[in-house]
Amino acid sequence: MMPNEMTPLDRLRHSTAHVMADAVKRLFPEAKITIGPPIENGFYYDFDVPKPFTDEDLERIEAKMKEIIAEKHPFKCEEIGRDEAKKLFSEMGEDYKLELIDAIPEGDPITLYRHGEFVDLCRGNHVEHTGQIKAFKLTDHAAAYWRGDEKRAQLQRIYGTAFPDTKALRKYLQQVEEAKKRDHRRLGKDLDLFSFDETIGGGLVLWHPKGAYIRHLIETFWREEHIKGGYQLLYTPHIARENLWQRSGHLEFYKEGMYSGMDVDGQDYLVKPMNCPFHVTIYKDRLRSYRELPMRWAELGTVYRYERAGALHGLFRVRGFTQDDAHLFVRPDQLAEEVDRVLEFCLYILSTFGFEEFELYLSTRPEKFVGSEAQWDHAESILRERLEKSGREFFVDEGGGVFYGPKIDLKIRDSLGRRWQCSTIQVDFQLPERFDMTYVGEDGRRDHRPIMIHRALLGSLERFFGILIEHYGGDFPLWLAPVQAVVANVTEDQADYAREVAEAMRARGLRVEADTRNEKLGAKIREGQLAKIPYTLVVGDNEKASRSVAPRRRKEKGGGAVSLEEFIDSMLVEAAVPRGGQEKAKTDA
């Protein structure tokens, strides 16, 4: 982020990061400083220190920061020559700063920022003086590699945040605590949904039965809605010959994210990082006609991408994942309508899963790209036009496009107000040219070129599942809950009836278990609540005699008895897929 792009909150947090680095240097003179940028919810600073920081160290650093803030040191900017900058940081023993100086292009200004006796290489901007920092908190510490490369020095990172006032800080810290309770890694273990194991390998997910069932529900809904929406389903291999990836451009532009090849009958094969070249190959299996377009093909395709070990993070950053992919092949005159249709479809599916707030971004041409600038300008203009026509507010992410085309990115906000990137709609003029894709036009010519739209809706099943876990705190709505109800008998006399109730409900399509253990009823209810099962159905002598159940909704007190058939009927209604935005989606289709 350039200085003139910093928001006031960014400046406050960046200034707080400098104060933190100053405090670290005062308390740990042997520490070497590296970088300390503002990030979405705060800031961090990486240090090279002899031993990791502790929670007690963070308390000491906070106390020292308060002293520095009270001293009201002005932040002063100073432009300096390259040789002078190197001499200064060399004398200070700040080796990492020398590397950063070398990375600054010749001719670009080199600036320092000082407050008190502390000086750092920095582009700015900052608040006027340290006394303007009113509310801050150091939130965590962790290991990090210099430049994100595990082959280089391991550093110690301190995270923190700052706000204009203590009320905003307190609200944020409460949100952080709630986020910790909802951490999908902890809930995944507590609820027996998924795991990782180093005997398998980092970043490779093991889906347990309950997690796998939720995945089954997501996939089933996804497939049904795609078929209703005019899509056809595909399945493609996990590996392909290397020359496929050369032709697609992935080896040129995405090689660092791909795994090493394997020799198969003297040919080099690679595991797939993308599904698109396979879909293109199916398109080219025979001559296509303009009458067949648009073609909408969708696949739940498992792909493999290299992630550094330090970047792996639960379900959010993995090495093998199933992308909910679709590729649309359209005529130029169909492009605008298909972009509109895809955008509404994405909003419909995401709202069904309980998301109500969305942010749209137009991501434009990056530094490394294929094709001509004219093609890019044309594609960007179409996407901008469709976003404007939608009437929805959108933002421009300059340079955020992929190497083969611009895109629309759709971000959701979860129940804690956090943004997550999910859907993406990418226009691609490049692969049709690289693979010489054509169709027979209305004029009989065979050289018409289709336009390709790449579309991921959920992003990946793994990451989306992690988002869902945290959005709901593991307390899934009834239609997604792997176990929707547990039937608990009061005494052994009702054990057979409890099993009969469970069987009757399963026969109607509900997911129900019977807990007939010789345990106290209170213990059974508590266990059901901890497992986040939506309903516990208590059956005692009265319920057995009247063929009824006494339902208790999780986190609510139990009510009176309800006839079994009446309760099953009401539960089936509640367990139906909510299908958010269905009427609008139908109208647009």
Side-chain angles (χ1 to χ4, degrees), residues 1 6-17 20 35-46 137 139-140 157-163 172 176 419:
M1 178 178 289
M6 275 196 175
T7 66
L9 188 56
D10 288 330
R11 287 197 294 271
L12 173 66
R13 289 170 172 171
H14 191 44
S15 303
T16 311
M20 180 180 74
I35 56 173
I39 53 178
E40 183 175 1
N41 292 310
F43 59 87
Y44 71 80
Y45 222 114
D46 288 345
K137 180 68 178 175
T139 55
D140 203 359
R157 176 173 295 178
I158 298 178
Y159 290 96
T161 192
F163 286 88
Y172 171 75
V176 169
R419 288 192 294 268

Side-chain angles (χ1 to χ4, degrees), residues 86-250:
K86 283 190 169 185
K87 181 175 183 295
L88 172 66
F89 287 105
S90 179
E91 291 173 350
M92 294 169 59
E94 298 291 357
D95 305 336
Y96 297 95
K97 297 298 177 181
L98 299 178
E99 185 175 332
L100 293 172
I101 292 169
D102 287 336
I104 298 173
E106 289 289 342
D108 283 10
I110 297 175
T111 55
L112 311 177
Y113 270 83
R114 299 178 183 270
H115 69 268
E117 297 182 2
F118 181 81
V119 59
D120 198 2
L121 182 72
C122 181
R123 293 183 298 176
N125 277 346
H126 291 276
V127 297
E128 293 179 6
H129 60 81
T130 61
Q132 291 181 331
I133 299 170
K134 302 297 184 183
F136 74 93
K137 180 68 178 175
L138 302 186
T139 55
D140 203 359
H141 54 92
Y145 291 103
W146 174 234
R147 301 288 202 176
D149 186 347
E150 63 263 31
K151 295 178 181 178
R152 304 197 67 182
Q154 188 177 74
L155 308 173
Q156 294 299 311
R157 176 173 295 178
I158 298 178
Y159 290 96
T161 192
F163 286 88
D165 56 67
T166 54
K167 182 179 179 181
L169 174 63
R170 191 179 303 114
K171 180 180 178 181
Y172 171 75
L173 293 177
Q174 289 172 348
Q175 186 182 65
V176 169
E177 286 304 308
E178 180 61 28
K180 288 180 180 178
K181 296 176 186 176
R182 293 169 176 252
D183 190 311
H184 74 280
R185 294 166 297 181
R186 181 179 69 81
L187 288 174
K189 182 176 179 63
D190 291 348
L191 301 180
D192 196 22
L193 302 175
F194 66 89
S195 65
F196 296 89
D197 195 300
E198 285 304 316
T199 60
I200 304 295
L204 302 173
V205 186
L206 297 169
W207 292 80
H208 295 203
K210 289 180 180 178
Y213 199 90
I214 298 175
R215 173 172 173 160
H216 162 73
L217 295 169
I218 294 171
E219 288 185 357
T220 300
F221 170 71
W222 186 94
R223 288 190 177 98
E224 289 175 350
E225 293 303 318
H226 276 76
I227 291 170
K228 289 178 187 176
Y231 288 78
Q232 295 173 304
L233 303 182
L234 303 179
Y235 294 94
T236 59
H238 288 234
I239 63 173
R241 290 172 58 186
E242 185 180 85
N243 60 2
L244 179 73
W245 308 109
Q246 289 173 335
R247 188 172 185 183
S248 70
H250 287 96

Side-chain angles (χ1 to χ4, degrees), residues 513-534:
E513 295 177 351
D515 185 352
T516 58
R517 296 172 301 156
N518 186 23
E519 294 281 354
K520 291 182 178 179
L521 179 63
K524 294 180 182 182
I525 292 173
R526 282 193 297 276
E527 287 185 26
Q529 290 177 337
L530 290 173
K532 299 184 185 293
I533 297 172

Side-chain angles (χ1 to χ4, degrees), residues 415-469:
S415 56
L416 296 182
R418 300 171 299 181
R419 288 192 294 268
W420 301 94
Q421 170 69 55
C422 284
S423 305
T424 183
I425 305 165
Q426 304 167 0
V427 175
D428 184 359
F429 295 95
Q430 312 309 323
L431 279 185
E433 289 190 3
R434 282 177 173 260
F435 283 89
D436 192 26
M437 299 172 66
T438 60
Y439 64 89
V440 179
E442 195 171 4
D443 57 6
R445 289 169 47 195
R446 298 187 175 196
D447 59 353
H448 291 275
R449 188 85 71 198
I451 298 170
M452 188 173 179
I453 301 174
H454 303 250
R455 190 235 65 197
L457 197 161
L458 306 179
S460 79
L461 292 183
E462 287 75 6
R463 183 170 177 274
F464 187 71
F465 186 42
I467 294 170
L468 276 182
I469 292 171

Side-chain angles (χ1 to χ4, degrees), residues 252-304:
E252 181 181 357
F253 292 92
Y254 199 73
K255 187 174 183 179
E256 69 281 358
M258 300 175 69
Y259 286 99
S260 300
M262 65 188 83
D263 182 279
V264 180
D265 298 331
Q267 299 283 340
D268 287 333
Y269 280 69
L270 298 170
V271 294
K272 64 177 179 179
M274 309 280 186
N275 300 300
C276 30
F278 295 91
H279 294 194
V280 170
T281 304
I282 295 173
Y283 178 95
K284 286 178 61 64
D285 185 61
R286 62 176 175 81
L287 186 64
R288 305 291 178 176
S289 165
Y290 75 95
R291 298 179 186 275
E292 296 179 76
L293 306 183
M295 302 177 77
R296 308 182 188 104
W297 289 346
E299 177 182 13
L300 291 169
T302 300
V303 299
Y304 302 88

